[in-house]
Amino acid sequence: MNERATIAELTGDYVIYRDLQPCDPTLPGLATLRTVLGLPANATPRKRDVAYARVILALARAAQALRNGPPLTTVAVIGDTENDRLLTVHLQGLEDILAYGFIGVDRPVVPATIEWADAVATATRWALVHQWAAELTARGVNWAQTAVLIDIDKTLLGPRGRSDGAIDDARAEAALMVATELLGDRFDRSLFRRNYTELCRREWHTLTLDNQDYTVALTLFATVEVFDLPAIEVQLAAGLSPTLLELLIAAQQVPAELQSLRRQLIERIEAGDPTPFTQFRRAELVTTAARMADGRLALSSELFRLGKDLQARGALILAASDKPAESALPSPEQAAAGLLPLHRTPAVLD
């Protein structure tokens, strides 16, 4: 039988989702850190921002103090994207801290290599993370004074190049689930799937902002012909891209079943909420948990075992995700039905 584990076995509740509100209530929340760090109000830093690095370092230092550990000297970032590399670079630029990064993917069609560029290593196999950690030890890293920040999506959970497709599949199923809840059988499922696949393409990011809430909302309204995707595509090509908010405000002949959603999206986007389609995100947690339960979505055995090893050497282990809290933490109704937080949901180690 395959071994199963949870992210929390590595991190406890030292987990941070998109809203930067740590799951452990003993750590300072974003409102407190805004004041302490002098960050602007009503703005949530994203991983590409220098402010995000400052928040992460403050949370790591707070967690280290809570366990009465020695002052942190190093932060080690493990991830799969350019954003993780940028986070490492931004951490390097902060005072009194060293930072190292590992950017991984499984690419079995190419040789297994690990290449360093300054303090960031890029590897074509996740298994090379052990070699990376050994190199940091050789460079004098004291793990008892190190915070290891592991990205969740397509790194620790669904490692890129291995089971990351299950994360995308969970989102697609959640989108279709919400459409069915809203419209019943009164829409073309095949067209919905085609529109969703199209709108996930990079060419639409000017409109979708690479935000799945926006992508799913656009898919839904386009499928019932409230939005004209070919006409919007012409506007995009001409550099005249409308925003989702503008499209929603101008929308005509919206079906009765979508009127409430339209009002909700307008209100939340106007308020600056980056996660306006709550129903979709709640469904995403359900479909993600289902894939973790049946083994389609697995935890990286290499990263889990490295985390355990570094933990035994005194390292502080944290995890971060760009997932909205709504797709990672159950609502009261979902919790009552037995759904667990994402980081406490068991998954196969692969």
Side-chain angles (χ1 to χ4, degrees), residues 14-44:
Y14 289 168
V15 176
I16 305 104
Y17 293 108
R18 180 186 290 178
D19 60 5
L20 295 183
Q21 300 293 344
C23 294
D24 190 319
T26 62
L27 293 176
L30 182 58
T32 299
L33 292 177
R34 281 196 182 107
T35 301
V36 172
L37 301 175
L39 301 178
N42 302 320
T44 301

Side-chain angles (χ1 to χ4, degrees), residues 199 204 207 218 222 226-244 247:
L199 286 164
W204 290 91
L207 175 59
L218 284 160
V226 173
F227 296 161
D228 184 343
L229 288 188
I232 295 172
E233 190 170 20
V234 171
Q235 289 180 283
L236 289 174
L240 302 172
S241 175
T243 65
L244 174 58
L247 290 170

Side-chain angles (χ1 to χ4, degrees), residues 24-299:
D24 190 319
T26 62
L27 293 176
L30 182 58
T32 299
L33 292 177
R34 281 196 182 107
T35 301
V36 172
L37 301 175
L39 301 178
N42 302 320
T44 301
R46 301 297 295 272
K47 192 179 281 189
R48 297 178 67 91
D49 302 331
V50 173
Y52 186 97
R54 296 179 64 204
V55 169
I56 290 297
L57 180 57
L59 288 171
R61 283 173 167 162
Q64 184 76 342
L66 282 172
R67 65 179 195 153
N68 298 314
L72 293 176
T73 60
T74 309
V75 178
V77 177
I78 301 175
D80 67 299
T81 68
E82 171 66 8
N83 285 346
D84 299 296
R85 187 193 70 79
L86 278 175
L87 173 58
T88 306
V89 171
H90 293 328
L91 285 164
Q92 279 184 302
L94 302 181
E95 293 183 3
D96 304 322
I97 203 77
L98 295 173
Y100 296 95
F102 178 89
I103 311 300
V105 64
D106 268 352
R107 297 182 61 197
V109 297
V110 302
T113 60
I114 182 167
E115 297 180 353
W116 286 84
D118 192 16
V120 180
T122 302
T124 58
R125 301 287 191 283
W126 286 108
L128 291 171
V129 72
H130 297 285
Q131 182 178 324
W132 169 78
E135 174 62 22
L136 296 196
T137 300
R139 293 188 184 193
V141 167
N142 179 351
W143 292 106
Q145 292 184 274
T146 299
V148 180
L149 179 71
I150 309 176
D151 176 59
I152 294 178
D153 305 289
K154 303 189 178 182
T155 297
L156 183 54
L157 179 64
R160 188 175 293 277
R162 194 180 307 168
S163 64
D164 54 310
I167 292 177
D168 299 326
D169 291 344
R171 290 173 182 156
E173 183 185 350
L176 187 59
M177 181 187 301
V178 169
T180 303
E181 289 174 357
L182 290 168
L183 296 170
D185 293 326
R186 295 180 298 281
F187 74 106
D188 185 332
R189 281 176 165 74
S190 296
L191 178 59
F192 183 92
R193 292 189 182 96
R194 290 197 301 274
N195 284 341
Y196 177 76
T197 300
E198 171 65 21
L199 286 164
C200 283
R201 293 174 57 226
R202 186 179 299 273
E203 288 81 358
W204 290 91
H205 283 184
T206 303
L207 175 59
T208 67
L209 306 181
D210 196 19
N211 181 328
Q212 280 288 305
D213 290 72
Y214 285 31
T215 301
V216 175
L218 284 160
T219 299
L220 186 56
F221 284 94
T223 300
V224 295
E225 299 183 345
V226 173
F227 296 161
D228 184 343
L229 288 188
I232 295 172
E233 190 170 20
V234 171
Q235 289 180 283
L236 289 174
L240 302 172
S241 175
T243 65
L244 174 58
L245 180 60
E246 290 168 343
L247 290 170
L248 288 166
I249 290 173
Q252 302 292 319
Q253 297 181 328
V254 178
E257 299 90 339
L258 299 184
Q259 288 284 4
S260 177
L261 175 63
R262 174 176 174 265
R263 289 192 296 270
Q264 170 192 311
L265 293 171
I266 290 172
E267 290 172 4
R268 293 187 177 180
I269 294 171
E270 287 182 332
D273 186 347
T275 313
F277 203 162
T278 308
Q279 301 94 316
F280 159 66
R281 291 301 186 173
R282 294 298 186 196
E284 184 186 4
L285 176 57
V286 172
T287 57
T288 300
R291 283 160 173 76
M292 295 171 74
D294 65 20
R296 285 176 289 173
L297 183 54
L299 291 170

